[in-house]
Amino acid sequence: MKRIILSSLLLAWQFSATAQSTSKLIGADKAIDPYHYTSVKSNTFDHASVACAHPLASAVGAEMMKQGGNAFDAAVATQLALAVVYSNAGNIGGGGFLVARKADGKNLALDYRETAPSKASRDMYLDKNGNAQTLLSQFGHQASGVPGTVAGLFATALHGKLPFKILIQPAIELAEFGYCITEREAAALNSVRESLTKNSTGASAFVKENNLPAGRQGWKAGDTLIQKDLAETLKRIRDNGQKGFYEGKTAELVVEEMKKGGGIISLEDLKNYKVRTRNALEFNYKGNTIIGMPPPSSGGLIVWQLMKMMEKRPLASYGFQSTKSVQLMVEAERRSYADRAEFMGDPDFWKVPVKTLTSDAYIKNRMADYDSNKATPSKDIKAGIIKESEETTHISIIDQYGNMISITTTLNNSYGSRTVVAGAGFIMNDEMDDFSVKPGVANMYGALGGEANAIQPGKRMLSSMTPTLVLDKNRKPLIVAGTPGGTTIPTSVFQTLVNILDFGMNATDAVNKPKFHHQWMPDEVMLEKGFNEDVKKELQSMGYKVSERGAIGRTEVIRILANGKREVAADKRGDDSVSGF
Ligand code: DON
């Protein structure tokens, strides 16, 4: 356990003590102290738990359940808290997916992915010579899709027990009276200082205005971040419901910001935004049931294909991260990502051949040219033949009633488009880059796409987010898992699942062991720092191009033990933390 807030923060606390917090939860001597908190990496709880990217947000979610709320209440309150204390990915200006298994045995999949604005068009990011202008799809006003998160929160709250105004109050207080930032957050805010300034038209709470002398960084660990504009936006949502975001003053501020910066989101786009309830994917893996997000995320389908490509092979006997098991998993990943590029997109606009892509015959055929002795070049792997015509954040929750929820939500890049809505205090997403802006042109994660994922007004851009649940052989809750990480998300979830189901790991090891990734194109295996050197050399000798990279994902896992206890692990790669009771 790492104590991330130091005693030197007392100063900040004295400052805050003058503020009039009315929360029953937040403040000195209350359940959650935003000035002294600790990141807890793993624990085992009897009843309920949350694992997410920030200790304060985990605590908010767990407190809601302690007060009699359920996992849906925790999901809403945690996401709102993350929108305040984890502004590089927590959001109200982005979108996400929720997969739940309710205590009554029903699945729920909520799609609150952003949509392309009505003025968007297929070639909007091409210059007059037809060249892709990916800076425009990644930064600034034109990069944003119409945000879905707030609509998603209200759709989630329908399944909760507590009033929305209770669920949003901690977020309001954290924004209004501030909280101490961690070293990691200080560094992240400093690193986007220029970009936030360049891509926003007004001043924001994220840029510390103190005329920095050259070479001095603005934010440091323990500083208090107060977000007054965001607090007012959250109050409008508290008082007016979904309309507090999609209509009225907040919507007007968004559109004003868009107009000032050349963006195209309109008042009608905001008013017309709708959550889609989808049918969760469900498949069997060695007797366990895996429940995942369907398109417009590719994540659930990729995990389905990957697990099925493993199922009939003795993966466990090959050994964890042996050359043999890694090579098999890499070859499966390569094939599945080729399918992603060709076949996957928003099902409301493009027929995604889900049944075929996951059929036993197709999966078998897909691996027919797999050679356990050498790399299959990606140029030789095309999408299968079908006859029918980093920053994101994950939350894993289980409650005392047996509801389990997996949510991945995102602004896309860290701090999204870097555009802060002036007067409203939140950051807009740069999700438009997840569309294929031009066939053959990679998005910021190197993913390729074509017609299936071309831009159209109102369409949802293809995602890799993979919120996932697993039931055991008796259809009882077993695992809640998910992670950020762009295109590495499905492979991280895949590896987390086999780590537990095949290699018998506990949640902490499943989360923290080094990961690897192949996504068809570019044709290389990415190995996370700390990956076994001998395996790396053997892969190279088999013909794999290998590259090393920093952290892959920030996975949050809950594993339900045979005695019913909840073993929870938050990724060591960030400030992520577990909470529960
Ligand atoms: O939806 C997607 O697939 C991406 N926008 C996710 C971005 C992401 O995970 C960034 N985090 N590291």
Side-chain angles (χ1 to χ4, degrees):
M1 267 191 345
K2 191 174 152 215
R3 179 92 180 149
I4 52 172
I5 295 300
L6 314 164
S7 52
S8 66
L9 303 189
L10 273 178
L11 255 185
W13 172 243
Q14 279 160 11
F15 164 77
S16 129
T18 60
Q20 293 301 304
S21 169
T22 53
S23 173
K24 293 196 177 62
L25 277 184
I26 309 255
D29 304 328
K30 294 184 184 154
I32 300 165
D33 179 346
Y35 295 88
H36 306 87
Y37 56 90
T38 302
S39 170
V40 180
K41 290 301 178 192
S42 64
N43 208 339
T44 301
F45 300 102
D46 290 334
H47 305 290
S49 61
V50 181
C52 79
H54 199 283
L56 290 171
S58 293
V60 164
E63 278 301 321
M64 290 298 159
M65 295 191 283
K66 216 182 246 175
Q67 294 186 6
N70 64 15
F72 293 93
D73 297 306
V76 173
T78 304
Q79 282 177 91
L80 284 162
L82 282 172
V84 179
V85 300
Y86 190 56
S87 29
N88 49 351
N91 68 82
I92 54 173
F97 299 114
L98 174 149
V99 175
R101 173 79 172 179
K102 297 182 71 171
D104 64 7
K106 292 203 176 81
N107 294 341
L108 176 71
L110 292 179
D111 164 1
Y112 45 100
R113 182 71 162 167
E114 300 90 330
T115 53
S118 52
K119 288 209 185 79
S121 58
R122 185 193 173 92
D123 295 338
M124 63 187 278
Y125 299 113
L126 303 188
D127 66 13
K128 58 180 184 318
N129 302 317
N131 296 319
Q133 306 288 295
T134 47
L135 277 182
L136 291 180
S137 63
Q138 294 173 7
F139 297 98
H141 299 72
Q142 287 182 41
S144 300
V146 182
T149 294
V150 174
L153 294 175
F154 280 95
T156 305
L158 293 177
H159 303 269
K161 297 165 69 158
L162 301 176
F164 196 88
K165 65 177 196 310
I166 301 272
L167 306 179
I168 199 171
Q169 194 58 24
I172 293 173
E173 309 256 340
L174 287 165
E176 186 159 21
F177 305 118
Y179 70 100
C180 280
I181 62 172
T182 65
E183 196 175 334
R184 202 178 248 110
E185 186 173 2
L189 281 168
N190 289 335
S191 75
V192 292
R193 180 188 164 89
E194 264 178 46
S195 178
L196 281 171
T197 309
K198 189 171 142 208
N199 291 296
S200 306
T201 62
S204 81
F206 306 110
V207 174
K208 211 172 169 190
E209 296 296 344
N210 57 355
N211 296 323
L212 296 175
R216 273 259 328 273
Q217 294 287 27
W219 293 102
K220 55 186 190 318
D223 282 351
T224 304
L225 177 59
I226 291 175
Q227 300 169 70
K228 291 275 188 210
D229 288 345
L230 178 58
E232 293 310 310
T233 299
L234 294 171
K235 285 181 198 169
R236 286 193 292 277
I237 297 170
R238 177 193 63 193
D239 298 340
N240 304 311
Q242 198 166 315
K243 288 187 176 169
F245 183 85
Y246 291 99
E247 295 178 43
K249 183 164 179 190
T250 312
E252 281 158 19
L253 288 169
V254 171
V255 172
E256 223 169 276
E257 179 67 43
M258 288 293 128
K259 281 189 181 143
K260 279 192 273 179
I264 55 173
I265 295 177
S266 67
L267 286 174
E268 289 68 40
D269 289 334
L270 289 163
K271 200 172 163 189
N272 292 337
Y273 182 84
K274 292 222 164 31
V275 173
R276 294 259 184 268
T277 302
R278 309 271 180 202
N279 291 322
L281 301 178
E282 195 176 307
F283 66 95
N284 188 290
Y285 179 72
K286 299 184 177 172
N288 300 298
T289 302
I290 298 182
I291 303 168
M293 191 69 211
S297 184
S298 61
L301 272 180
I302 294 177
V303 167
W304 189 338
Q305 290 192 317
L306 293 175
M307 300 297 283
K308 285 292 176 188
M309 288 175 189
M310 297 302 113
E311 195 173 30
K312 298 213 167 72
R313 296 168 204 265
L315 191 61
S317 76
Y318 296 167
F320 169 70
Q321 286 185 2
S322 64
T323 306
K324 208 169 164 63
S325 66
V326 172
Q327 194 248 353
L328 170 63
M329 291 164 78
V330 160
E331 288 300 329
E333 289 173 9
R334 182 203 304 280
R335 285 160 177 78
S336 192
Y337 277 80
D339 283 355
R340 178 194 196 276
E342 179 73 19
F343 297 123
M344 301 184 201
D346 180 349
D348 296 338
F349 287 74
W350 180 264
K351 191 166 171 5
V352 184
V354 174
K355 271 213 174 98
T356 310
L357 288 172
T358 54
S359 73
D360 290 346
Y362 181 85
I363 298 283
K364 190 168 170 214
N365 196 35
R366 211 68 189 100
M367 288 298 275
D369 58 352
Y370 161 65
D371 183 336
S372 63
N373 295 310
K374 64 175 176 57
T376 313
S378 282
K379 64 176 171 38
D380 297 347
I381 298 281
K382 299 279 173 285
I385 295 162
I386 288 187
K387 292 205 185 75
E388 34 182 304
S389 36
E390 312 215 331
E391 187 77 25
T392 300
T393 193
H394 183 79
I395 308 167
S396 291
I397 306 176
I398 187 158
D399 67 18
Q400 62 273 44
Y401 312 107
N403 298 295
M404 56 199 304
I405 306 188
S406 191
I407 303 161
T408 315
T409 172
T410 189
L411 289 168
N412 198 20
N413 201 0
S414 186
Y415 299 97
S417 64
R418 313 283 161 82
T419 297
V420 181
V421 178
F426 64 90
I427 299 173
M428 292 293 288
N429 66 83
D430 61 332
E431 222 72 61
M432 291 298 282
D433 192 61
D434 272 348
F435 278 118
S436 172
V437 301
K438 182 183 175 183
V441 172
N443 73 7
M444 73 169 81
Y445 304 103
L448 298 176
E451 202 49 45
N453 191 31
I455 304 173
Q456 280 175 264
K459 187 173 175 183
R460 285 151 146 91
M461 51 298 277
L462 183 63
S463 173
S464 299
M465 294 191 283
T466 314
T468 303
L469 305 170
V470 182
L471 308 177
D472 69 10
K473 296 185 166 84
N474 302 314
R475 294 184 74 79
K476 294 269 174 297
L478 183 62
I479 301 170
V480 185
T483 181
T487 44
T488 66
I489 294 174
T491 53
S492 280
V493 170
F494 165 51
Q495 288 165 54
T496 305
L497 296 188
V498 297
N499 284 352
I500 296 174
L501 298 174
D502 291 278
F503 297 117
M505 279 180 205
N506 63 27
T508 301
D509 284 347
V511 164
N512 291 327
K513 292 282 182 194
K515 300 220 158 50
F516 55 93
H517 175 69
H518 197 298
Q519 62 179 46
W520 176 55
M521 296 290 184
D523 188 353
E524 61 178 5
V525 189
M526 296 176 201
L527 301 179
E528 192 177 9
K529 224 173 46 205
F531 194 87
N532 185 306
E533 275 298 318
D534 294 335
V535 174
K536 176 181 159 190
K537 286 192 190 114
E538 282 170 31
L539 287 171
Q540 282 168 322
S541 70
M542 291 167 91
Y544 288 91
K545 182 173 175 235
V546 172
S547 69
E548 280 189 42
R549 53 163 284 171
I552 297 186
R554 283 170 66 171
T555 307
E556 323 290 0
V557 166
I558 302 175
R559 188 171 70 115
I560 295 90
L561 307 179
N563 61 8
K565 289 187 191 276
R566 287 79 161 100
E567 181 207 6
V568 197
D571 203 307
K572 67 173 183 186
R573 298 166 181 85
D575 292 332
D576 310 43
S577 186
V578 310
S579 195
F581 60 94

